[in-house]
Amino acid sequence: MIAGVIAVVLLLAVAAYACGGGTDYGAGFWDLTAGGAERGERSRRLIDHAMAPVWEVNNVWLIFVLVIMWTGFPVFFQRVFTAMWLPLALAAVGTVLRGAGFALRKPLTRLAGRRLYGAMFAVSSLLTPFFLGAAAGGVASGRVTARATASTDAWSNPTSLLFGFLAVAFTALLGAVFLAADARRFAVPDLDGHFRRRALAALAAVVVLAVITLVVTHGDAPHVWHGLIHGVGLVFVIVSALATLATAWSLTRPSGAWSRGAAVAVVASAVIAWGMAQRPYLIPVSLTVAEGAGAHTTLRWLGLVTLVAVVLVFPAVVLLYWLDTHGELESLTDAELRPGRPGDEV
């Protein structure tokens, strides 16, 4: 019983990281595609401002996921990090380079240095979610088995690749939706329209990739496919589909109201649908939740620590997100987002 509860906590933590960290990765994706130094300057200023208060906090969810994995489900942790060592290692390197690029590019005054660290940040924001998604696809397709060895090509399968592309599309959606909301808050209509159009394009990519992934899993990950079209998994697929329609509707409304909540619901519901589709397995169809769980005493202490974190940490994180999205933290003047600001570097 307690192993099932901890497994649900793990799934919710993955969903939280997909939404919180995914928004940051998406901002980096749009940084990468913003254009040259002059054309993309205003978009990059908005991205820097939007990410600055929360980008480190969003990684708390990743740490929480890893702690639950290696403490609560050590067998699962060992198999995943053995079979999927290459994409996970590349994702870890990407996370480090991304953080370094974001932290170091802003204080630099020389354009060459800003371009170098900016490119490091932007490219890592694209590759890191792809490799994390590819590792998740390896789990969903059942390739992370007890017989799996530390090979370099275990993740090169249709489900892993599609999960990787879908992860990038999810992050692009979240990043564009939140950046459009920030642009509205600062009354910069051209940037609002700029990111709304990109959000709609990312949403279309999510729909196309989700349909293709569902078709491919029929043959490549049959247990997950069955779970996605039956029971609780199907419920969350429907919720994600309805949230997709709500996101599209919100993005076409002048106010853009509820677009952020709807986009978060799209991603969170999709992640939870995947987790529910795998039941009762951590790795279909070779490792159940009960088989992969640690000692009962360990799970009890992990549950207690989780409860303390929910009581003490979760409200603080929610407050930080609320303050950030309501403009109560770092100020940004209109002049910084207006075209032709004096002192712009080319």
Side-chain angles (χ1 to χ4, degrees):
M1 177 64 181
I2 190 171
V5 172
I6 299 299
V8 170
V9 171
L10 175 60
L11 178 60
L12 293 177
V14 172
Y17 182 62
C19 296
T23 302
D24 280 353
Y25 288 127
F29 177 90
W30 297 118
D31 186 290
L32 179 65
T33 60
E38 182 175 14
R39 178 185 172 190
E41 183 69 18
R42 294 170 62 240
S43 295
R44 292 189 175 102
R45 285 200 204 104
L46 181 63
I47 289 168
D48 284 345
H49 171 74
M51 287 184 56
V54 296
W55 70 280
E56 291 181 288
V57 174
N58 285 329
N59 287 319
V60 169
W61 299 114
L62 178 59
I63 296 170
F64 193 40
V65 168
L66 293 175
V67 169
I68 293 176
M69 280 185 67
W70 76 54
T71 306
F73 303 99
V75 177
F76 178 51
F77 180 86
Q78 183 269 331
R79 292 189 187 181
V80 170
F81 277 77
T82 297
M84 294 291 154
W85 73 269
L86 181 58
L88 290 173
L90 293 173
V93 172
T95 301
V96 173
L97 293 179
R98 181 178 177 276
F102 181 74
L104 295 175
R105 75 169 181 173
K106 192 172 183 179
L108 292 179
T109 56
R110 296 184 59 184
L111 183 59
R114 290 174 59 190
R115 282 178 170 170
L116 173 63
Y117 287 111
M120 183 189 300
F121 160 70
V123 173
S124 297
S125 296
L126 172 66
L127 296 180
T128 301
F130 173 80
F131 287 121
L132 289 174
V139 173
S141 60
R143 287 176 169 84
V144 183
T145 65
R147 298 182 300 276
T149 59
S151 65
T152 58
D153 59 354
W155 61 280
S156 57
N157 59 81
T159 301
S160 286
L161 295 176
L162 282 169
F163 268 50
F165 289 129
L166 194 55
V168 173
F170 277 146
T171 63
L173 169 64
L174 290 169
V177 167
F178 275 75
L179 288 169
D182 278 343
R184 288 193 297 277
R185 178 158 54 86
F186 289 108
V188 190
D190 62 321
L191 285 182
D192 179 18
H194 173 88
F195 285 114
R196 283 202 202 207
R197 291 189 295 272
R198 281 149 181 77
L200 288 169
L203 189 63
V206 165
V207 172
V208 171
L209 286 169
V211 172
I212 295 173
T213 301
L214 188 61
V215 172
V216 169
T217 55
H218 181 270
D220 198 50
H223 181 83
V224 170
W225 176 82
H226 184 270
L228 289 173
I229 62 172
H230 294 87
V232 181
L234 176 60
V235 171
F236 280 98
V237 168
I238 293 173
V239 171
S240 186
L242 293 175
T244 298
L245 295 175
T247 304
W249 180 83
S250 298
L251 289 171
T252 59
R253 305 295 296 173
S255 65
W258 306 107
S259 58
R260 287 180 295 193
V264 167
V266 171
V267 178
S269 299
V271 172
I272 295 173
W274 159 50
M276 291 294 103
Q278 291 194 175
R279 292 185 310 162
Y281 295 101
L282 290 169
I283 303 173
V285 285
S286 61
L287 184 69
T288 66
V289 171
E291 292 169 345
H296 185 72
T297 303
T298 301
L299 293 177
R300 289 175 59 189
W301 278 106
L302 185 58
L304 179 60
V305 170
T306 300
L307 182 61
V308 172
V310 168
V311 173
L312 297 181
V313 179
F314 184 72
V317 173
V318 171
L319 177 61
L320 176 62
Y321 287 157
W322 188 91
L323 292 173
D324 181 44
T325 55
H326 287 75
E328 300 293 333
L329 299 177
E330 181 183 357
S331 62
L332 184 64
T333 64
D334 289 344
E336 291 183 278
L337 293 175
R338 299 297 180 189
R341 183 174 72 93
D344 282 353
E345 294 182 88
V346 178

